[in-house]
Amino acid sequence: MKKRYAVRAVAPAVLTALVLTGCGSPDGGAEAGTPSSRETKDTPAGKPVTKGGTLGAAGSACPMPVTFDFAASWTPEAVEVDPGSDFAALGEQGPVRMVCEIDAKPAGNIGYLRVWAGEPSDSEPRAVLEAFLAADPTAGKAAYTASEAGSLTAAEVTYTVSSELQDEPKTERAFAVATPDGPVVVHLGGLDSAEHQRMLPAYELAKKTLKLG
């Protein structure tokens, strides 16, 4: 079943109304784990996060070039930019387009873990992240590091986002990997830096369990 809705934020301080088509079941589809599939993970910060299901494979809420586990109570939904929308271009950031968002509100947080995917290319993960940030005029103070996502080589960036609606810049982060089907960027935002910090275990779970689809 498909529905049309407006994504609350894609590029911070830029998007006011983006018409998208979302498809997939709120509970993650066929692979959005049942209680028997849930397990506890530990993040580098030592905070436990419970697995709610797995995304990425055909039949899951968000078919993607990669698969990863998402946190319990977070609700995933596939995103398809409506080409007929006046705001369709805002569903793209640099070389990638948003394909999935995982809402943290049912888990008690305000924010999203979003997945962006691009066309096949020879670009290294760091170059993809640099282009991703370059397309966001509100991004600043970026710190890039070499990383791993599951068994894949990855690049990661922590940066700040400024807005006239906020008293101070907030922290966001993302990691990127290269796949045969194109680059994938997994991004974590949040209402503010404190909320971002509280959602980090879900981000780390996705990064730790990521595999090629």
Side-chain angles (χ1 to χ4, degrees), residues 63-89:
M64 299 179 288
V66 297
T67 66
F68 59 79
D69 295 344
F70 66 94
S73 298
W74 288 51
T75 54
E77 189 162 17
V79 173
E80 182 179 343
V81 177
D82 183 349
S85 168
D86 293 338
F87 300 96

Side-chain angles (χ1 to χ4, degrees), residues 57-152:
S60 70
C62 297
M64 299 179 288
V66 297
T67 66
F68 59 79
D69 295 344
F70 66 94
S73 298
W74 288 51
T75 54
E77 189 162 17
V79 173
E80 182 179 343
V81 177
D82 183 349
S85 168
D86 293 338
F87 300 96
L90 295 179
E92 299 178 349
Q93 188 167 326
V96 291
R97 174 176 293 178
M98 189 165 62
V99 295
C100 184
E101 66 173 11
I102 310 165
D103 189 354
K105 284 197 296 296
N109 299 111
I110 302 175
Y112 296 87
L113 188 68
R114 288 190 168 107
V115 185
W116 305 67
E119 298 298 323
S121 72
D122 295 328
S123 297
E124 295 293 327
R126 173 160 176 164
V128 172
L129 282 183
E130 289 174 343
F132 182 75
L133 260 65
D136 181 359
T138 69
K141 296 185 178 180
Y144 293 88
T145 57
S147 185
E148 291 185 350
S151 62
L152 301 182

Side-chain angles (χ1 to χ4, degrees), residues 3 16 19 26 41 47 52-53 71 79 84 94 100 103 113 122 132 136 146 154 166 176 189 196 198 204 208 211:
K3 66 177 181 179
T16 56
V19 180
K41 305 286 184 180
K47 296 180 179 180
V79 173
C100 184
D103 189 354
L113 188 68
D122 295 328
F132 182 75
D136 181 359
Q166 297 170 314
H196 177 87
R198 286 190 284 269
E204 295 293 348
K208 181 178 180 180
K211 300 176 183 178

Side-chain angles (χ1 to χ4, degrees), residues 6-20:
V7 168
R8 278 62 58 187
V10 175
V14 176
L15 181 60
T16 56
L18 173 59
V19 180
L20 301 171

Side-chain angles (χ1 to χ4, degrees), residues 144-207:
Y144 293 88
T145 57
S147 185
E148 291 185 350
S151 62
L152 301 182
T153 298
E156 190 165 11
V157 63
T158 301
Y159 62 102
T160 60
V161 168
S162 300
S163 167
E164 294 179 354
L165 302 177
Q166 297 170 314
D167 294 333
E168 60 184 18
K170 64 175 181 173
T171 301
E172 300 197 357
R173 71 188 65 204
F175 69 85
V177 296
T179 82
D181 295 318
V184 172
V185 174
V186 178
H187 169 266
L188 179 68
L191 179 67
D192 53 31
S193 293
E195 197 76 338
H196 177 87
Q197 188 70 26
R198 286 190 284 269
M199 296 188 295
L200 272 181
Y203 171 90
E204 295 293 348
L205 173 64
K207 187 171 70 168

